[in-house]
Each structure stands twice: as C-alpha cells, then as structure tokens.
Amino acid sequence: MIRAAILHNVRCISRIALRPQSLASRTVTPCFSAPSAIYTPSKLPQSARWYSAPAGLSKPEVEGRIMDLLKGFDKVTDQAKVSGTSHFSNDLGLDSLDTVEVVMAIEEEFSIEIPDKEADAIHSIDKAVEYILSQPDAH
C-alpha cells in the first residue's frame, strides 16, 4: 500500500515538473479524476495509513476504575473503606459469591476474560490491578 502511494505521488510530481511551460503560466492539474457517481480505486487518490500501538493502561487509571466499580457495587455498604489496598472480604465484607460478581464486573469493565484459576487469586484491589496491568489486551 505504501509503495503504491509513493509511486502515485512520484507520477503526479513528474507530470507537473516535465511540462514545457513557463513558471508564470504553469497551472496545476489534479492527478486523479474528478469525483463521479461511482468511485473506483483507480479514480481515488492514494493515501497511506499509519497505525500505532495502543497506549497501555496506567496503574492509577486501572485502580480508579476498579475503585469506582466497587463504590457502585450494591453489596459494599461503606464506600469510605474502598481504597487501593482494600481486601474484598476482610475490608469490604463481601462473601465468595460477591467476589465472583466483582471479578465478572472487572472482566466487563476492561473487556477481558479472566480464567477461573487466576480469578480465584484475585481477592483485593491490589491483586486486580496487578492482573489487569499484566494483560496487554485490556482496555
């Protein structure tokens, strides 16, 4: 694709540069046809697309999103206890079923799937943040 765009641009420049006209009377004509009702690839100007890697999630961003998720969770009675080091059962009073629901909400929040083996190890906000940061496809 990039090769085709470069060749197209070189052809356009050579058409303009090789005309035997004086500089004062030189007119620039477009290198592609005027738009018509049906667009074909040969009539459209070539372009190049540049893609970059997605920016990774930062620790404060992940931690904030998880804390907001927990503050909105119905079973968390005291939102003041939600902090970066909160344990789901010890600090927030969640049972094992609630912890599973929190992990499922985290999966949905970050558009990832957490395998059961790793989900069993997530019992605090710190562990959740650590797991999310280790996943390259989390967003």
Side-chain angles (χ1 to χ4, degrees):
M1 179 91 179
I2 187 105
R3 182 175 164 235
I6 292 171
L7 289 174
H8 177 75
N9 289 337
V10 168
R11 284 188 204 120
C12 287
I13 292 170
S14 65
R15 285 184 205 155
I16 294 169
L18 295 178
R19 288 196 192 119
Q21 299 174 347
S22 68
L23 290 175
S25 65
R26 183 173 289 185
T27 59
V28 178
T29 57
C31 295
F32 58 93
S33 303
S36 63
I38 300 174
Y39 292 103
T40 60
S42 63
K43 292 183 179 182
L44 295 176
Q46 296 292 321
S47 62
R49 293 184 181 176
W50 300 92
Y51 296 99
S52 64
L57 296 171
S58 65
K59 184 176 179 175
E61 179 186 359
V62 172
E63 193 173 89
R65 285 170 65 181
I66 292 174
M67 287 172 44
D68 289 342
L69 187 136
L70 283 169
K71 287 178 183 176
F73 194 63
D74 295 339
K75 305 284 177 107
V76 176
T77 56
D78 190 9
Q79 294 181 356
K81 290 184 179 180
V82 177
S83 69
T85 58
S86 297
H87 192 272
F88 296 152
S89 61
N90 296 343
D91 298 328
L92 303 177
L94 302 177
D95 61 8
S96 60
L97 185 59
D98 296 334
T99 302
V100 170
E101 289 180 23
V102 167
V103 171
M104 289 173 56
I106 291 172
E107 286 178 333
E108 189 174 319
E109 174 71 23
F110 292 97
S111 302
I112 60 169
E113 186 172 332
I114 302 173
D116 293 338
K117 189 175 184 179
E118 282 85 10
D120 291 340
I122 298 175
H123 293 290
S124 65
I125 294 178
D126 289 339
K127 293 286 185 180
V129 169
E130 185 179 306
Y131 183 79
I132 297 298
L133 290 176
S134 70
Q135 301 301 308
D137 57 341
H139 59 278

